[in-house]
Amino acid sequence: MNWIHRPRWLTRATLTAVLPLALVACGQQYPNTTFSPHTEFGRAIDGLWDRLLFWGVLVFVLVELALVFIVVKYRRRDAAPEPEHVHGHTVLEITWTLIPAVILVIIAIPTVKTIMRTEAPAPANALQVKVIGHQWWWEFQYPQYGVTTANELYLPSGRTASFSLTSVDVLHSFWIPQLGGKRDLITNHENHLWFTPDSALGPNAWNGFCAEFCGSSHANMRFRVFTVSAPDFESWAAHQASAAVFAAPPAAAPADSAGRGRRGGAGTNVSAAPQTPAQPAVMPVGYSFPREQLPAYTKPTTPLPKDLVFDATLVGDAERGRAKFAVSACIGCHTIKGTPTAIGTTGPNLTHVGSRTTIGAGLFPNDAQHLRLWVKDAQAMKPGAKMLPMGLGIPDAMTGVKGALTDQQIADIVAYLLALK
Ligand SMILES: [Cu+2]
């Protein structure tokens, strides 16, 4: 075989194959990569990875070079005498024990340093966030602000966020590849994690995931993180902490009863609102991430279940929806702050559900079409979802009556939910 020409040909072929690949890789955006971290936590781990990769590659190259050298040098040759057999070589043995020991120390020092750094207590003035894992959605509480929300995490850029992580059921793991994680959510145990989104980050959105298998909809347990400016965060938090504000449209009820129907006590003059039926009076709302600025990678693409249908021609009436919601099974599982009967905590807090960009833990866009289908049959929309299929009804053990909501009732409830900005 022609030994001399092979390497040249090989080099050219390898370059031709690898270069376009490398170029293609550079041109792509990888929204869920850990290799472009935007927090000190992410950089600490990324830096450690780079160092370990450097030492690993160095060792690999040296070992392979030695191997190739020995294979070539001591290859079998015709008429070559049997090589000398060696037993025990003290200097060699000490050398190849010491070299790995030194390599291990070189690896251990930055590793242990990084562990200590990422496990250290958070700075005292950090933003506290309680993360509670549920099969299969995320509850986020901001105790300093009195906010409870779900599946969408707002973080002010430049301020350290200190997370306490726990679970109400099985193990989950909190992970935002470009910011930080993974850290487990464990039942009856509080884990901690903190990081600071870079202050130079403009308003941006990131994908978050559950990174610990937790059951049938594990892959459907996602969340969104919005890094926003400090004033925008304060505006968002102040509004999320407030009770749900919903005023009946004047056309749906006389002005005096609309006043009674209003929740949260905001002093907007309902009768002064424009006389457009089925439109709740406009209430001042806090900041929420502008939908037109959502990056494509945060937009859900989950297909809809084929046999789930909804009469799209129906028009929802938000005031009727409010009344129906308050006496439906919804209130046993969902809280709407300001509605005294709606205090359930099995499902996400819906006080400001209309301000969220997705529903079902990042599975579907938050709009009328998807909300209607969701309320009708959440389990068809999301395998295993622990919400009852409200449009199919729940058989009552005593009476056998199913009590399903009609499409019209669901359209009404959805009009109400969307008004809860
Ligand atoms: Cu999971």
Side-chain angles (χ1 to χ4, degrees), residues 235 238-240 242-243 245 266-269 281-287 352 419 421:
S235 156
H239 179 66
Q240 294 286 318
S242 67
V245 176
T268 306
N269 186 350
V282 178
M283 295 292 170
V285 291
Y287 173 87
H352 296 285
K421 292 295 181 198

Side-chain angles (χ1 to χ4, degrees), residues 137 148 150-151 325-326 328-351 353 356 359-360 371 374-375 378 386-388 390 413 416-417 420:
W137 58 280
T148 300
N151 302 326
F325 181 93
S328 294
C330 324
I331 58 176
C333 294
H334 292 287
T335 293
I336 291 188
K337 206 171 176 178
T339 300
T341 52
I343 50 171
T345 52
T346 317
N349 187 306
L350 299 180
T351 307
V353 66
R356 298 205 267 272
I359 53 165
L371 267 173
W374 176 272
V375 175
K386 295 189 183 253
M387 169 160 157
L388 295 170
M390 302 304 292
I413 289 178
Y416 165 61
L417 293 179
L420 300 177

Side-chain angles (χ1 to χ4, degrees), residues 136 138 171-173 210-215 217-219 221:
W136 290 273
W138 302 84
L171 296 190
H172 304 276
S173 179
C210 177
E212 176 81 51
F213 181 72
C214 57
S217 258
H218 162 63
M221 183 171 167

Side-chain angles (χ1 to χ4, degrees), residues 15-349:
L15 273 181
T16 321
V18 169
L19 264 183
L21 261 182
L23 286 177
V24 166
C26 292
Q28 299 271 318
Q29 262 218 329
Y30 293 100
N32 303 328
T33 179
T34 51
F35 295 126
S36 61
H38 298 286
T39 61
E40 78 284 59
F41 178 97
R43 271 189 297 276
I45 291 176
D46 190 48
L48 177 64
W49 153 263
D50 285 348
R51 289 169 83 157
L52 297 194
L53 185 69
F54 171 79
W55 290 108
V57 168
L58 189 72
V59 169
F60 175 79
V61 168
L62 292 180
V63 169
E64 293 307 302
L65 280 180
L67 181 71
V68 169
F69 173 76
I70 287 168
V71 164
V72 173
K73 176 152 194 226
Y74 297 103
R75 71 187 184 277
R76 188 188 162 141
R77 268 171 279 205
D78 292 338
E82 171 106 343
E84 186 192 346
H85 287 230
V86 188
H87 278 282
H89 190 301
T90 317
V91 175
L92 258 187
E93 299 222 354
I94 290 179
T95 315
W96 67 51
T97 308
L98 274 184
I99 292 178
V102 170
I103 294 173
L104 278 187
V105 170
I106 292 176
I107 287 174
I109 292 173
T111 305
V112 172
K113 258 169 117 176
T114 309
I115 292 175
M116 308 256 252
R117 226 179 111 190
T118 54
E119 295 282 332
N125 60 349
L127 170 72
Q128 307 290 332
V129 185
K130 251 188 108 169
V131 177
I132 303 163
H134 296 253
Q135 277 175 321
W136 290 273
W137 58 280
W138 302 84
E139 182 174 346
F140 300 123
Q141 296 179 0
Y142 296 72
Q144 293 150 318
Y145 292 84
V147 169
T148 300
T149 183
N151 302 326
E152 301 206 343
L153 185 63
Y154 279 70
L155 298 177
S157 300
R159 181 170 172 195
T160 304
S162 171
F163 302 93
S164 80
L165 312 157
T166 183
S167 166
V168 296
D169 37 51
V170 298
L171 296 190
H172 304 276
S173 179
F174 178 75
W175 189 36
I176 312 137
Q178 299 215 34
L179 301 181
K182 316 162 174 170
R183 198 147 289 174
D184 280 4
L185 279 63
I186 302 172
T187 329
N188 294 328
H189 174 84
E190 210 172 278
N191 258 350
H192 294 273
L193 171 76
W194 60 270
F195 55 69
T196 317
D198 292 344
S199 45
L201 281 180
N204 216 328
W206 316 91
N207 285 331
F209 303 92
C210 177
E212 176 81 51
F213 181 72
C214 57
S216 55
S217 258
H218 162 63
N220 300 329
M221 183 171 167
R222 309 171 203 165
F223 59 107
R224 302 282 179 266
V225 183
F226 301 113
T227 47
V228 300
S229 72
D232 284 347
F233 175 78
E234 296 295 327
S235 156
W236 173 83
H239 179 66
Q240 294 286 318
S242 67
V245 176
F246 176 77
D256 56 341
S257 66
R260 282 199 299 277
R262 206 187 322 147
R263 301 292 175 199
T268 306
N269 186 350
V270 172
S271 49
Q275 301 281 316
T276 41
Q279 276 289 313
V282 178
M283 295 292 170
V285 291
Y287 173 87
S288 61
F289 195 85
R291 289 189 182 208
E292 63 282 2
Q293 280 181 31
L294 281 173
Y297 59 79
T298 61
K299 293 189 182 153
T301 53
T302 319
L304 289 172
K306 281 192 196 68
D307 2 314
L308 188 58
V309 288
F310 198 95
D311 183 354
T313 59
L314 293 176
V315 178
D317 178 300
E319 170 53 24
R320 271 204 318 256
R322 186 197 58 75
K324 186 66 190 166
F325 181 93
V327 296
S328 294
C330 324
I331 58 176
C333 294
H334 292 287
T335 293
I336 291 188
K337 206 171 176 178
T339 300
T341 52
I343 50 171
T345 52
T346 317
N349 187 306

